[in-house]
Amino acid sequence: NAGVMQNPRHLVRRRGQEARLRCSPMKGHSHVYWYRQLPEEGLKFMVYLQKENIIDESGMPKERFSAEFPKEGPSILRIQQVVRGDSAAYFCASSPPAGANYGYTFGSGTRLTVV
Amino acid sequence: GNSVTQMEGPVTLSEEAFLTINCTYTATGYPSLFWYVQYPGEGLQLLLKATKADDKGSNKGFEATYRKETTSFHLEKGSVQVSDSAVYFCALRGGYSTLTFGKGTMLLVSP
């Protein structure tokens, strides 16, 4: 019973390149969330998706960042034209289609380094 | 909006000491409350939760009680181990909203 799978675990990109982060939710979970963790800071919510729908993207930077959760396949967080400030750990989490009693199950994260 | 405030770390303790990490929250309605733990280089793991006032969540010797009157959910453990060294996050979730996290508190336990 696999948990939330994120890949790659580590990603190095040069400034200006694109970063593509993947997340497969737990079996039976249809809600996906992306969070960013910067050094010495907590987790910042970025986006909440269900299959083929963005539910809440209030935490996403307006430019260069996008997310999708297609009908088939993993959720993708895409960062275009990366800059040094994008270096962080990006965590994906999933939950079942239920209410507040349920916490999230987190993946191990993708650590993005922009050089 | 929802918010969570945790005590700043690092919290440095000797093995077998008593642990308290304070957490207070602001939320409308009746949120569910959570503690997550993050070990170095890993993702977050759910440690315990409480879904209504006066509930006590417990796991692995850790416990926290949902106190609505003081809007608090303090994490406690009677005797910490070196293996408990990690970052601990308090979080809340109200209704169908997303999880809101505190900034995290690093715990360092020495032998």
Side-chain angles (χ1 to χ4, degrees):
Chain A
N1 185 15
V4 177
M5 304 302 293
Q6 287 189 251
N7 66 83
R9 286 294 302 271
H10 301 276
L11 182 61
V12 179
R13 284 287 177 266
R14 296 185 184 280
R15 281 178 296 170
Q17 291 185 317
E18 178 179 285
R20 192 171 294 202
L21 289 61
R22 294 175 183 78
C23 169
S24 295
M26 258 187 93
K27 188 175 181 181
H29 287 190
S30 56
H31 297 208
V32 166
Y33 313 83
W34 286 93
Y35 283 78
R36 177 164 62 176
Q37 186 178 36
L38 292 164
E40 309 302 321
E41 294 188 20
L43 285 110
K44 299 295 185 184
F45 167 74
M46 298 182 75
V47 62
Y48 163 30
L49 309 106
Q50 296 176 23
K51 288 280 188 184
E52 300 184 283
N53 278 308
I54 296 175
I55 307 302
D56 180 353
E57 57 181 347
S58 58
M60 287 275 273
K62 295 288 183 255
E63 298 178 351
R64 302 187 298 108
F65 285 72
S66 62
E68 62 177 9
F69 188 16
K71 189 176 180 181
E72 301 291 339
S75 175
I76 307 287
L77 178 68
R78 185 180 291 110
I79 311 172
Q80 296 177 304
Q81 300 174 323
V82 296
V83 300
R84 288 234 169 94
D86 297 332
S87 295
Y90 292 83
F91 290 97
C92 170
S94 69
S95 74
N101 289 354
Y102 292 88
Y104 302 165
T105 301
F106 279 82
S108 297
T110 294
R111 282 148 184 85
L112 172 65
T113 303
V114 179
V115 298
Chain B
N2 297 338
S3 68
V4 176
T5 303
Q6 289 181 238
M7 61 189 289
E8 287 196 25
V11 173
T12 305
L13 295 172
S14 297
E15 205 165 24
E16 299 183 3
F18 184 86
L19 168 71
T20 300
I21 299 179
N22 290 339
C23 170
T24 57
Y25 67 89
T26 302
T28 54
Y30 303 94
S32 293
L33 302 174
F34 306 85
W35 277 100
Y36 280 82
V37 58
Q38 184 181 31
Y39 297 102
E42 297 184 13
L44 277 74
Q45 301 174 27
L46 178 63
L47 182 59
L48 54 85
K49 69 176 184 180
T51 58
K52 60 182 187 298
D54 300 324
D55 265 4
K56 178 186 282 188
S58 60
N59 185 25
K60 299 181 182 178
F62 291 90
E63 34 179 62
T65 301
Y66 189 145
R67 301 284 188 202
K68 188 165 173 58
E69 62 277 12
T70 55
T71 61
S72 65
F73 193 54
H74 305 321
L75 182 69
E76 297 182 335
K77 187 175 185 182
S79 175
V80 293
Q81 306 300 313
V82 172
S83 57
D84 293 327
S85 297
V87 180
Y88 292 81
F89 292 91
C90 185
L92 71 82
R93 188 179 186 195
Y96 287 88
S97 68
T98 56
L99 263 179
T100 299
F101 286 91
K103 290 192 173 182
T105 302
M106 179 178 288
L107 170 64
L108 299 171
V109 181
S110 56

